[in-house]
Structures are given as C-alpha cells and as structure tokens.
Amino acid sequence: MLTYARWKYAAFLIVLLLSAVYAVPNLFPQDPSVQVTANRGAPVDEALRTRVAASLQKAGVTAKQVELDTKKNNLLVRLASPDVQVKAADALRPELGSDYIVALNIASTVPDWLEKFGARPMSLGLDLQGGVHFLMQVDQKAALEKRLEATTEDLRVLLRDKRIAYISVDRRPDNSIVATLRDAAAASAAAGVIVKGQPTLLQQMQGNQIVLQVQPAELQKYAADAIDQNVSTLRNRVNALGVAEPVIQRQGNDRIVVELPGVQDTAQAKRMIGATATLEYRAVVEGNAFDAVESGNVPPEARVYYRRERGPDGKPMPILLNKRVIASGDQLVGATTGIDSQSGTPTVSVRLNSAGGQRMFDFTSENVGKPMAVVYIERLPEVKVVNGQEIRSTRINEEVVSVATINGVFSNEFQTTGLSGQEAADLSKLLKSGSLAAPMDFVEERIIGPSLGKQNVESGLKAVTFSFAFALVFFLIYYRMFGVITCIALLLNLVMVFALMSFFGATMSLPGLAGIALTVGMSVDANVLINERIREELRLGLPPQTAIATGYDRAAGTILDANITAFLVGLAMAAFGTGPLRGFGITTMLGIATSAYTAVSVSRAIATLIYGGRRKLKSIWI
C-alpha cells in the first residue's frame, strides 16, 4: 500500500516552515553603507550623527539613512549604490580625522522580526561582493633574529640572577650564543644553571666559554610562532575595520593571505593591517598633568602622555609618565582575561619573558601601592601623493590604555584589575595584538570591484537558474505528473540549501554556486532513479500504488549509497581544503543532504498525497 506516516508529514511541514524563515532573508537586498567607529574613545552620539549628516550634505552625497547604534557604539550610513558609498567614505575620512575609523560595509535590510529568529542573509565571498586581496610575506629571518636576541638577554639575566659573573654573552652569525666566563670553574657552574633555565639549548664547553646552539626544531618553532602571532595580530586589526567575513589564513611556511570582502579602500586596509605597534609599561609620575601641559613645566624625569579616556571637555586626559621603560611589548609572552577570585571582577593576566619579569620584579619591589601605566604605541605608515609623486612617511600614535595600582610584588606574571568586562577583553586584545612578531611585506595586492562581484553574482545565478530550468523542462515532458512532483522537490531542495547556509553563517562564493548547481544535478539523478524504478514495476504488472511504493523503497538504498559517497568527498574538501575549495565542499555536503531528503522522502509524501487515497486507481501519469 502507498502510505506515508503522519509524523513524517508533521516533520516535513516543520522543516518547510523553518526553511522558508531562514531562506527568505536572502530575498532582501543589502545596502552599501559606511560604518563609523570610534577609534580612541571618541564619543558616538547624536552630535556625531549631525556632524556626519552635515559632511555628507556638504559633499553632495544623499544618504538613505544615518543610523546611530549606541549598543555597538557605531554609526551606520546607508547609501544607494557602491559608487555613492565610496564617495561618502572619501568625504567623511578627512572630516572625522583619526578619532574615528570610516570603513565600507554592507548593511542588512532584513526586518527585525526575522532577525529575532536569527534569520539573516548569507554572506557573500570576495568573488561575489568585491573587496581586496593581500598576500604578505613574513620576514622569518627578522623574527629569528628577534627571538635569538631575546634568548641572549634571558641568558644574561639568568646568570645575573644566579650571581655568576660573566665577561660577555654574545650572539654569533651562525645562530649560536657564546657565554664567556672568568674561568673554567665558573663556566661549569654556569652550564649547570643554563641546563635548568634553558633546557632546549645544546651546550658545548670550550675552556671558560660555553657555546650554545638552538636546536633546529626550536628554530622551526620560532618561525611558526612568529607567523601564528602575526595572523592573530592581523585578525584583531581587521576586526577594527568592521569587515564582515574576512579571510585571514596562513599560506605555506612564510606567507599570510588576507581577503576583505566589501572593502574597496586599499590604502585604509593597508594602513590598518600593515601598522606595527608595541607596548610599554611605565611608572606614573606624581603631579598635576593638566598644569604641566598648560605651563610647560614638566618634571625632568617625566613625559606627558594622553589617556584613551576622554575628559569632561571631550579631549584625551594628560598623564605624566616616567621616561624609563619598565618592560615593553617585545617581552610580552601572553595575555588572557579572567575573573579575580577575591573580588569577582574581570582581570587581565599578563605573562612576560624572564628579562621583562626581572625588570618588573625589581620595579614592583620598590613601588607597591603606586600606579603603573600601559602605553600603546602604533607606527602607522602613510602614503601621500604630492604633485604626482608618492611620498611615504610614518606617523606614531601613543596613548595610555590602562593605569592600575601595584598591589604587591610580582615579576613575569601579574594581573591588571579594576576593569569592566569589556575593558578587560579590549585590553587583552590590545596586549596580544600589540606588536607583530616579524615585519611583513606586501607581495601581492588585488582589488575586485563591486561591479565585477555583481557580474559574478548575476553569472552564477544565471548558471544555477538555467541548470534548474533545463531539469524542470525535461522532467515535465518526460515524466509528466511525476515530473511535477520532482520539480516541487527540486524547488524545496534549493530553499533548504539556502536556509541551511544562512543558518550556519556560511559564505557564498562562486565555487559555492557551482556546488549548488552540482547538487541540483545529483537530485535530478535521484529522481530519475525513482521514476524509472516505478516505470519498471508498472511494466512487471504491479498495481499503480504498489508500484509507486516499491519504486521508492528499492531506489532509496541506491540513492543513499551514492549520496553517502559524494558526501564523504565533500567532507574531505571541507575538512582539509581552504578558501574556495572548502566553500565548495560545504555547499556540496549541504546540497547532498537536502537532495537525498527531498528525493526520497518529500517527493514520496507528495506522491502519496496525490495517489494514496484513491481506491480504484488504474493508472498513473508517468
């Protein structure tokens, strides 16, 4: 008998409803927009909205809407087209200055009631939306030099700490370190200390000298760590640009790929991701900083810095800091957020290397109860075109990101307290992204314009539409009523694929569109198998309802076997591939899962609705 369980109908209706809810947002076009974000604690308020609106009006740019989002602390300007978007960004940047980051973005137009369900449109990849692509070469030699210098300094501190007098501790060009002691006895004592303090170094005694070699595995680890730290730093910097779905990934042993969909301003992107930054810990000098700024009478051991926080007048607050640096970002090993076990407030745990830890110990031993500041220093490369000539320069920005009181003596590990949860997260991010482990050079730079991305979208959708239309026409002509059933199943398959990709936040790219076209073809194969099996059962003389039920039962096993094999291929591409290959694998897996469900289950439900209730069915239109 041709039957279909009621619970399966209920499950089908639920899946259909959810698919519709999560696929519908893709029908709403996104607005080209300009996002304004505070860069250094600058206010994002109604005054800024008025200022932005006036600047746009002055530049002759008509905005669809200027939205102030106090929760996200940003301002969003919706515009009519990508050309107007670029014009608006060019007008706002000089007006707002360095206090704000002006970035190109794509704004959703999905209704609020849909967003409450978590329904949002799929993100478009670089090839569909346009944007910039950078390939950067990491200077591993510089990273290695930096790390070996730090190891050499650690050895000096270690020997001083153990009160072993040495003549010199120097690096050699062959990446070895030579420690020269007073005599052989001192060298022997130093060797024992170094074994415990630096167990990864290979030692060789030569009279009163110890030649230390870094093992090849450690050198490789230094290089890998440098790239990983640079990737982490770049990711934090790109987040500050407000770019949706950026791609930042390692390529090979010494390169990093950065793709920023929707960003057309290459200069702004390069400025952000190519900037080098560092941190410094300095003691706070007592005294009235405002008076020192007004009178110019700054204590000789101090220098005026400015805090990130703004004063009542809306300007950064000055603070006097000691000229001597206690520890710098080069000595920072890690920073993590946590909760103070005593006060229950957010904290940032910082870990320094041994050299930085020793300096911090010496300083805190004498300054308990006094404030200490963290200074964030950025070196921003600037490119200006003057009289047709490209002039490169560097601008240095310094700001105090944290001032905390020293509650006790500490060395290489300590906590910064008195922060809110957001402040702790921000400070941890700044500390971790403070400096690049190694300098990088831009070796490749490509811009994909929005018009080309639009052409890609139109071409890709046209390919999917025609592949779908050819399949529909064939089925309608060749399988008649079952062709209609197949067409409905194919349509539902597409809706489910779009819904799943939107739900999981997948990024649609050209390979993704190819994956959808491929799954349409695979779904067609499954329905051909079912329809031909039904025809075969009818030719054997089975009653129509029995032939339909038998056709679905016998074809299901073959369809599932074929789809499982293809699914595993897609899984391998998604797990081990990157970029477009991974996108193709994810789309293929989702498409295979939905095509198997719609071909085996949904089309049978529809066929049962049409033919299942007829007691005297003599023939079917297939």
Side-chain angles (χ1 to χ4, degrees):
M1 285 295 293
L2 183 60
T3 58
Y4 196 75
R6 290 186 178 180
W7 70 268
K8 290 184 179 178
Y9 276 117
F12 167 55
L13 288 176
I14 292 173
V15 170
L16 181 62
L17 181 62
L18 291 175
S19 299
V21 168
Y22 285 98
V24 160
N26 294 289
L27 298 177
F28 291 89
Q30 295 175 311
D31 283 337
S33 61
V34 173
Q35 181 176 304
V36 180
T37 310
N39 191 24
R40 306 179 189 285
V44 180
D45 50 17
E46 284 295 336
L48 176 65
R49 175 151 66 177
T50 305
R51 186 178 168 193
V52 167
S55 300
L56 294 175
Q57 187 177 10
K58 180 181 175 183
V61 175
T62 303
K64 292 171 67 175
Q65 198 171 1
V66 181
E67 299 175 2
L68 178 64
D69 190 337
T70 54
K71 292 182 179 178
K72 297 180 180 177
N73 201 32
N74 64 34
L75 192 77
L76 193 69
V77 182
R78 294 178 181 270
L79 299 151
S81 68
D83 294 336
V84 180
Q85 179 191 30
V86 174
K87 187 177 179 182
D90 291 341
L92 290 177
R93 283 194 184 108
E95 286 289 334
L96 300 180
S98 60
D99 289 341
Y100 296 92
I101 295 175
V102 179
L104 305 184
N105 211 332
I106 302 295
S108 170
T109 58
V110 177
D112 293 339
W113 67 271
L114 271 175
E115 291 188 341
K116 287 180 180 176
F117 290 101
R120 55 186 184 276
M122 284 183 292
S123 301
L124 300 180
L126 192 69
D127 47 3
L128 298 183
Q129 189 180 178
V132 294
H133 164 100
F134 295 123
L135 179 62
M136 288 180 289
Q137 177 93 33
V138 179
D139 188 347
Q140 289 189 317
K141 186 179 178 182
L144 190 59
E145 293 278 338
K146 193 175 177 181
R147 193 64 178 265
L148 289 173
E149 285 292 346
T151 303
T152 306
E153 180 61 24
D154 287 350
L155 285 172
R156 295 189 186 110
V157 172
L158 180 64
L159 294 177
R160 282 201 301 267
D161 190 43
K162 297 299 179 183
R163 300 184 183 280
I164 298 175
Y166 60 87
I167 298 174
S168 64
V169 178
D170 298 315
R171 275 196 54 216
R172 284 182 176 176
D174 60 352
N175 293 332
S176 64
I177 302 170
V178 178
T180 305
L181 287 302
R182 286 183 305 182
D183 50 37
S188 178
V193 169
I194 293 172
V195 165
K196 294 179 181 177
Q198 297 283 349
T200 58
L201 296 177
L202 298 175
Q203 294 189 24
Q204 185 181 2
M205 297 286 293
Q206 296 177 354
N208 66 332
Q209 287 188 331
I210 306 173
V211 180
L212 301 158
Q213 292 280 356
V214 180
Q215 300 183 45
E218 282 296 306
L219 293 176
Q220 293 178 1
K221 186 174 180 297
Y222 290 170
D225 289 347
I227 293 183
D228 290 342
Q229 183 177 333
N230 278 17
V231 169
S232 175
T233 302
L234 288 175
R235 188 165 287 123
N236 289 330
R237 291 178 181 181
V238 168
N239 287 340
L241 282 171
V243 179
E245 298 293 329
V247 174
I248 304 167
Q249 59 190 19
R250 180 174 175 170
Q251 185 180 79
N253 295 325
D254 57 357
R255 291 187 171 186
I256 298 174
V257 173
V258 178
E259 293 183 347
L260 308 176
V263 173
Q264 301 299 317
D265 188 343
T266 312
Q268 168 70 4
K270 288 178 73 173
R271 232 179 359 253
M272 285 296 296
I273 65 179
T276 55
T278 189
L279 294 161
E280 289 178 353
Y281 290 86
R282 292 175 180 268
V284 177
V285 176
E286 294 181 358
N288 191 321
F290 289 95
D291 290 343
V293 171
E294 288 182 4
S295 64
N297 187 17
V298 180
E301 76 278 13
R303 182 186 160 196
V304 177
Y305 285 82
Y306 288 90
R307 301 185 62 164
R308 172 165 292 183
E309 294 83 2
R310 303 277 169 157
D313 57 353
K315 296 181 179 179
M317 294 187 296
I319 185 172
L320 296 174
L321 300 184
N322 198 303
K323 292 179 178 177
R324 175 175 173 253
V325 177
I326 304 168
S328 65
D330 293 344
Q331 296 158 331
L332 182 74
V333 176
T336 56
T337 57
I339 300 295
D340 186 13
S341 58
Q342 295 182 350
S343 63
T345 58
T347 64
V348 177
S349 300
V350 177
R351 188 155 59 93
L352 301 175
N353 62 13
S354 59
Q358 182 62 43
R359 292 177 189 172
M360 190 63 76
F361 176 79
D362 294 340
F363 176 78
T364 56
S365 297
E366 302 172 356
N367 295 280
V368 174
K370 296 181 179 178
M372 183 175 66
V374 181
V375 184
Y376 182 71
I377 304 169
E378 272 187 306
R379 292 175 173 80
L380 303 171
E382 291 185 330
V383 180
K384 294 180 181 178
V385 178
V386 179
N387 298 328
Q389 298 289 325
E390 191 176 85
I391 299 175
R392 295 177 181 271
S393 59
T394 301
R395 178 168 55 89
I396 298 177
N397 286 331
E398 296 176 321
E399 62 179 349
V400 178
V401 296
S402 171
V403 178
T405 302
I406 302 169
N407 292 322
V409 178
F410 51 82
S411 56
N412 64 327
E413 293 190 14
F414 53 91
Q415 289 183 336
T416 300
T417 59
L419 305 169
S420 67
Q422 186 60 45
E423 287 173 337
D426 291 345
L427 179 58
S428 173
K429 189 186 298 182
L430 280 174
L431 292 173
K432 285 187 288 189
S433 65
S435 60
L436 294 169
M440 297 184 296
D441 296 321
F442 290 88
V443 296
E444 185 178 301
E445 175 184 329
R446 284 189 284 120
I447 302 174
I448 300 177
S451 57
L452 181 57
K454 186 178 179 182
Q455 290 175 6
N456 288 338
V457 171
E458 292 173 353
S459 301
L461 289 178
K462 185 182 293 182
V464 172
T465 303
F466 272 96
S467 67
F468 192 73
F470 290 153
L472 293 186
V473 171
F474 170 78
F475 272 94
L476 287 174
I477 295 174
Y478 196 69
Y479 292 112
R480 292 173 286 188
M481 178 53 74
F482 273 80
V484 175
I485 295 172
T486 300
C487 291
I488 295 173
L490 287 176
L491 279 172
L492 293 176
N493 179 31
L494 273 184
V495 173
M496 289 180 188
V497 169
F498 278 90
L500 283 173
M501 292 192 67
S502 301
F503 179 76
F504 288 116
T507 300
M508 176 61 75
S509 59
L510 273 179
L513 286 173
I516 290 178
L518 176 65
T519 56
V520 168
M522 295 189 66
S523 185
V524 167
D525 286 346
N527 284 279
V528 167
L529 273 174
I530 293 170
N531 294 338
E532 289 299 323
R533 177 63 73 174
I534 294 172
R535 280 182 170 178
E536 191 175 321
E537 300 300 333
L538 289 172
R539 284 195 289 269
L540 292 175
L542 291 179
Q545 291 181 335
T546 306
I548 295 172
T550 307
Y552 272 102
D553 291 340
R554 293 185 175 179
T558 307
I559 294 169
L560 291 178
D561 287 345
N563 281 294
I564 287 173
T565 307
F567 187 89
L568 291 176
V569 174
L571 181 62
M573 287 190 288
F576 302 109
T578 58
L581 183 63
R582 186 169 184 271
F584 182 78
I586 291 174
T587 311
T588 304
M589 283 195 300
L590 294 177
I592 288 171
T594 55
S595 70
Y597 175 69
T598 53
V600 175
S601 186
V602 173
S603 66
R604 179 167 182 163
I606 299 171
T608 305
L609 275 178
I610 298 173
Y611 295 110
R614 300 185 187 181
R615 295 182 178 180
K616 297 180 180 180
L617 182 64
K618 298 277 178 88
S619 63
I620 56 177
W621 210 23
I622 186 170

